[in-house]
Amino acid sequence: MSISLGLQGPCVIARLTGDFDFGSAAEVRDRVTKALDLTQPPMLVIDMQAVAVCDSSGLSVLVYLHKAVTASGGRLLLSGLNGRCKHLFAITALDKFFDIRSTAELAIAELNEEGNPPPFTG
């Protein structure tokens, strides 16, 4: 598993590549949790376009991160779910729990818009 972390505007972007499973779940949780301190409230996009396999350990980390972000008043969006991951989210009903966008760019644009409200003109 490769984890690429970046900051774009008020958003932390985590791009995952490879197998999101028992062997990589703890590292993803730890690294992404540390990165959440970069923005307040935390705005997080997890791009899963290049994730080949996601198991229950990966799903558990995503639920953990969602709870951590929302407890701090932030928002988490997932993006780029491929066929296997999309199917897994559907059969576990997590597609109803998570906000999912087709691309990271759409997710980032949405959170950037929320994180940068228009200036007060009163």
Side-chain angles (χ1 to χ4, degrees):
M1 164 70 53
S2 166
I3 308 161
S4 170
L5 292 167
L7 193 59
Q8 187 170 338
C11 300
V12 173
I13 299 98
R15 296 185 192 271
L16 309 181
T17 303
D19 295 343
F20 192 10
D21 56 14
F22 180 77
S24 61
E27 180 184 5
V28 172
R29 182 193 65 232
D30 294 345
R31 289 189 59 199
V32 175
T33 299
K34 287 178 187 167
L36 293 179
D37 292 336
L38 296 173
T39 62
Q40 287 303 318
M43 301 289 217
L44 175 62
V45 173
I46 300 177
D47 183 17
M48 297 182 57
Q49 182 175 347
V51 171
V53 173
C54 183
D55 71 4
S56 61
S57 300
L59 294 179
S60 177
V61 168
L62 294 174
V63 171
Y64 168 85
L65 291 170
H66 183 275
K67 288 180 179 181
V69 167
T70 55
S72 298
R75 192 144 175 241
L76 180 149
L77 295 178
L78 298 179
S79 67
L81 294 181
N82 61 32
R84 292 175 108 186
C85 288
K86 190 180 274 189
H87 178 69
L88 178 63
F89 275 71
I91 64 172
T92 59
L94 287 173
D95 59 344
K96 309 284 189 268
F97 178 76
F98 286 101
D99 287 328
I100 302 170
R101 302 297 176 265
S102 57
T103 67
E105 291 70 29
L106 286 173
I108 293 165
E110 184 174 328
L111 292 183
N112 276 335
E113 198 170 288
E114 288 179 23
N116 294 312
F120 179 72
T121 58

